Amino acid sequence: MSASPSVSGKASESYDVVVVGAGFAGMYMLHKLRGQGFSARVYEQGDGVGGTWYWNRYPGARCDVESMQYSYSFSEELQQEWDWSERYAPQPEILKYANHVADRFGLRPDIQFNTTVERAEFDERTNLWSVALSDGKIVTAKFVVLATGCLSNARMPEIKGLDRFEGKVYHTGHWPHEIVDFTGQRVGVIGTGSSGIQSVPVIAEQASHLTVFQRTANFSIPARNAMLTEEERQAFRAKYPEVRQFARTESRNGIYTEMPDRGALDDGDNERRSKYEARWTRGGLTFMSVYNNLALDQTANDTAADFVREKIAEIVKDPEKAKLLQPNNHPIGSKRICIDTEYFATFNRPNVTLVDIKSNPIEEITASAVRTGGKDYEVDALVLATGFDAMTGSVAKIDIRGRNGQTLNQKWAEGPRTYLGLMSAGFPNLFVITGPGSPSVLSNMIVSIEQHVDWITGCVSYMRDRGFEAMEAKKDAEDNWVAHVNEVAYTTLYPQANSWYMGANVPGKPRIFMPYIGGVGPYRQICDDVAAKGYEGFALTGAEQPRKMAVSS
Ligand code: FAD
Ligand code: N01
């Protein structure tokens, strides 16, 4: 057991539910709980709502699921009235939407900003959580919901000399609120995942010179972003019932699109090529759903990967650069596929240099340069697009203590263990939204967030109505679920990549495929069945006589 102090002291306030985080998950959780008469308090370390869209303000940041779908569905009025301007809204617009939701549903009075939840301890005698906050207060709650985000713990790379660099250093996941202007500057970008791929073309337009330091080349599909016309918005709104229903119950990834009915090898070369060409021209994430076996069969996957590699060679004029930009060490889609605007074409610009740091790793960062391969690349500013300690990083930062004083970090030392991605045995009344073991980051996340929020609200209402005091995942149900999550993952090509899905981007993090790849629709059905069977696999304990939990006015 670690020696850090337990949560003790007099609680200043008490709630039915404490929610940690005010991104899309925390905001909807609050709205839904209040609607059911629960008292709830949200704590958010930032000074505003929006989570991902509050923190990731880097140039070029936008969603990669189309905005008409990457939006809440719980309010018909909201989805009919909000006007998305572009096919993929830029970050400022998504943040404006989050703020609109907060105002529209009057959420702010129940959110305490600039407050980090530091510790949470379960008291087995009272079945209450004591929650310690960064402002020194301790509050108690029957339930704690971690809406802390899967991509909210920005990871600083361990590169020698980074702290001695005299220019400005920015992390894409922790971007300043004021405008950053790179005009006339020599900028270095380290990292070529989605954040790097979105920011590189925009920074290249501004900077006098841009040097991109690439360790792993990534697959990227053109976004084909465009302004939405009023007719397009109206047409989409008219079919919302069908779109949302499909995304929730039938899709694998929470996105409304055609379902593939055949594998890549069922078509001849010409037919297959023309299908890839059509998806490339359409742009966006649905490139990967043209066939039903791209994530399952290496030979099928190779056909899609080869197609994208050929496209890169067509776009990038310098054959050496093109070769470097062609991904060659993982199946397409096994790392989250990127969606870009002019990323590969940016390397045709005279003011952009590509540096291969796979062959020549960065030796050190000096006061004014990045040194690799014995050469100094002079830069005035550095952009770290180096990603996140994903899925578990923000949970791990909270000192969470369940039964017998066990910490969640101790329990998850060999990798996260949950039942349905929602709860972990030994930690009663503690829920995670889009936690490891659920479809989460493999999906249109707002669909998965809404599903979890609805399920959790149903669950705590059920407990209140029947007088249950505590609910907890049973160990055997959890063990079976973890085994199932792993088994399904290893039927796919995903585990072959050194991805953040596998925890491979964080030195020392256990290599476990964290999200559940069984599909959004099937997963929802499993969760609904569990609830319908009186929360099968969970232990419910409490008063013999039903009694009402304190309900706020
Ligand atoms: P977050 O938005 O991450 O919010 C969590 C909040 O919890 C944060 O504000 C954080 O400050 C707070 N918090 C964490 N720990 C504590 C603590 N201890 N105390 C207090 N507060 C805490 N998904 C898609 O489906 N489609 C997309 O197009 C898409 N684009 C993305 C683009 C970027 C740049 C990134 C980084 C992610 C993207 N994602 C996308 C994933 C995105 O994270 C989710 O879609 C969604 O916004 C997550 O919402 P959330 O509320 O679960 O988490
Ligand atoms: O992070 P990443 P991200 N030295 O981990 C490199 C979502 N998102 O912020 O691959 C040198 O994908 C690392 O190299 P390697 C989306 O889910 C969505 O880009 O480990 N390089 C890699 O190139 C996404 O998947 C959008 O070899 C180092 C890069 O940094 C997730 O967030 C936009 C390094 C990190 O890539 C994370 O994306 C943005 C080091 N020490 C984010 N450490 C949309 O488009 C790391 N790297 C909607």
Side-chain angles (χ1 to χ4, degrees), residues 20-26 43-46 50-53 55-56 58 62-65 70 115-117 147-152 195 198 336 388 394 398 434 443-446 449:
V20 192
F24 284 131
Y43 297 101
E44 166 57 55
Q45 62 198 4
T52 289
W53 306 102
W55 297 106
N56 291 262
Y58 60 83
R62 58 178 74 243
C63 50
D64 63 3
V65 171
Y70 185 67
T115 308
T116 304
V117 168
T148 43
C150 292
L151 296 159
S152 51
S195 303
Q198 282 190 330
R336 178 154 175 127
F388 303 86
S394 286
I398 309 172
T434 62
S443 68
N444 171 356
M445 288 201 72
I446 301 191
I449 285 169

Side-chain angles (χ1 to χ4, degrees), residues 54-76:
Y54 170 91
W55 297 106
N56 291 262
R57 298 171 189 237
Y58 60 83
R62 58 178 74 243
C63 50
D64 63 3
V65 171
E66 295 182 28
S67 292
M68 294 300 295
Q69 300 203 53
Y70 185 67
S71 47
Y72 285 124
S73 70
F74 70 84
S75 161
E76 180 58 13

Side-chain angles (χ1 to χ4, degrees), residues 391 412-417 436-437 482 485-486 489-490 495 499-504 509-515:
M391 299 207 76
W412 287 9
E414 303 301 319
R417 299 187 70 77
V482 170
V485 170
N486 263 297
Y490 279 88
S499 66
W500 58 259
Y501 296 138
M502 293 290 294
K509 193 167 172 173
R511 298 267 176 128
I512 305 276
F513 190 78
M514 292 184 282

Side-chain angles (χ1 to χ4, degrees), residues 238-417:
K239 62 178 181 184
Y240 256 141
E242 179 191 332
V243 170
R244 301 301 201 185
Q245 181 66 10
F246 180 92
R248 290 184 195 122
T249 60
E250 287 180 56
S251 75
R252 297 201 67 78
N253 60 4
I255 297 176
Y256 175 76
T257 189
E258 312 93 309
M259 289 289 255
D261 60 356
R262 56 205 285 118
L265 308 176
D266 297 334
D267 280 334
D269 287 354
N270 290 344
E271 177 64 13
R272 192 168 50 233
R273 192 175 173 87
S274 82
K275 283 188 182 162
Y276 286 144
E277 197 68 59
R279 292 292 174 118
W280 181 267
T281 304
R282 182 203 284 184
L285 286 176
T286 62
F287 181 85
M288 286 305 290
S289 48
V290 59
Y291 290 116
N292 60 18
N293 60 347
L294 295 183
L296 303 173
D297 180 313
Q298 185 64 62
T299 313
N301 186 283
D302 287 342
T303 64
D306 285 343
F307 176 87
V308 175
R309 283 190 280 262
E310 281 169 31
K311 285 290 178 194
I312 296 170
E314 277 171 29
I315 298 167
V316 182
K317 296 201 175 91
D318 174 347
E320 262 180 49
K321 271 191 200 171
K323 193 158 191 307
L324 266 182
L325 288 164
Q326 287 171 325
N328 58 16
N329 73 350
H330 60 282
I332 184 169
S334 61
K335 282 188 164 199
R336 178 154 175 127
I337 197 145
C338 303
I339 302 301
D340 73 276
T341 300
E342 300 293 308
Y343 175 66
F344 294 115
T346 298
F347 292 92
N348 294 330
R349 294 176 63 107
N351 70 332
V352 176
T353 303
L354 177 65
V355 178
D356 171 17
I357 55 168
K358 174 81 101 200
S359 318
N360 293 304
I362 296 174
E363 290 153 31
E364 66 175 311
I365 293 178
T366 69
S368 62
V370 178
R371 182 170 297 160
T372 159
K375 188 170 168 191
D376 280 4
Y377 293 86
E378 295 285 334
V379 287
D380 304 307
L382 264 179
V383 172
L384 305 175
T386 47
F388 303 86
D389 182 353
M391 299 207 76
T392 53
S394 286
V395 174
K397 278 169 98 171
I398 309 172
D399 180 7
I400 299 172
R401 284 156 193 268
R403 289 202 191 280
N404 305 316
Q406 186 190 33
T407 70
L408 196 60
N409 285 332
Q410 287 166 340
K411 180 171 173 194
W412 287 9
E414 303 301 319
R417 299 187 70 77

